[in-house]
Amino acid sequence: KNEVEQSPQNLTAQEGEFITINCSYSVGISALHWLQQHPGGGIVSLFMLSSGKKKHGRLIATINIQEKHSSLHITASHPRDSAVYICAVGGATNKLIFGTGTLLAVQP
Amino acid sequence: DTEVTQTPKHLVMGMTNKKSLKCEQHMGHRAMYWYKQKAKKPPELMFVYSYEKLSINESVPSRFSPECPNSSLLNLHLHALQPEDSALYLCASSHGRSGSAGANVLTFGAGSRLTVL
């Protein structure tokens, strides 16, 4: 079993839909990262959080430390949101543990 | 400047060639990373430099040789690579202060796509 599990692996949505991507982890962490990667492209850091909730534009990230679970929500989804979303957790070292990613396709 | 710049964007090399990938940032970050990413897989950590010193080497083969000439630059020297080394190579940086990548936001470059023939 991977230390960081994401679900779903693939997600197709219609433009405007509310989207949720989940991340569960089994190790102690200092912070959890949500990352976005467009096809063939570099990675953009969306959020880093260690408790509670953060919001940036149409994106919301939450984390429940006791349950070792985080969610990434996208409101009013748009085709430009189509990308791979990666959850990664970090502990006491400079090494992040990555989930396998969620491939999101938002259709117009 | 809030970017990590990687060059070249694309590189094709033969198994006997010697080439280098370069990474540059001017954000004052003191931790810099090389990751390797194969298609449809998450990034795999290769090396971490912290304050210009190599702090993590994830048992990477010696045909990959990292170098950190100063706090803004990170190189990855490539020699005698194999076709299976073809991948996207990503550089990243973070503040590297008190703690680790876990507690610092990483800024990634756009990557260098390497093809080994």
Side-chain angles (χ1 to χ4, degrees), chain A:
Chain A
K1 188 170 160 56
N2 292 335
E3 293 169 303
V4 180
E5 298 271 359
Q6 284 185 238
S7 64
Q9 287 189 322
N10 295 280
L11 180 56
T12 300
Q14 295 297 313
E15 184 173 357
E17 284 185 1
F18 180 84
I19 290 163
T20 296
I21 300 170
N22 295 300
C23 176
S24 296
Y25 55 93
S26 57
V27 295
I29 69 169
S30 54
L32 181 144
H33 301 249
W34 281 104
L35 309 168
Q36 179 194 57
Q37 186 172 30
H38 283 98
I43 294 174
V44 174
S45 179
L46 299 175
F47 296 102
M48 182 186 75
L49 63 167
S50 54
S51 65
K53 175 179 171 178
K54 287 190 176 180
K55 184 175 188 290
H56 185 255
R58 295 181 294 106
L59 302 179
I60 303 165
T62 64
I63 188 168
N64 184 318
I65 295 293
Q66 286 73 33
E67 294 187 4
K68 295 190 173 179
H69 181 269
S70 176
S71 293
L72 176 69
H73 306 286
I74 304 175
T75 62
S77 59
H78 190 277
R80 65 175 174 267
D81 297 325
S82 299
V84 175
Y85 292 84
I86 304 170
C87 171
V89 299
T93 70
N94 268 327
K95 184 175 178 178
L96 292 180
I97 304 171
F98 291 87
T100 52
T102 295
L103 176 60
L104 171 65
V106 181
Q107 296 178 341

Side-chain angles (χ1 to χ4, degrees), chain B residues 7 24 26 37 55 61 79 93 104-105:
Chain B
T7 55
E24 189 169 1
H26 297 287
Q37 188 179 29
S55 62
H79 175 54
S93 68
N104 289 285
V105 174

Side-chain angles (χ1 to χ4, degrees), chain B residues 97-116:
Chain B
R97 59 182 175 228
S98 67
S100 63
N104 289 285
V105 174
L106 266 67
T107 302
F108 285 86
S112 292
R113 187 161 298 281
L114 174 66
T115 302
V116 182

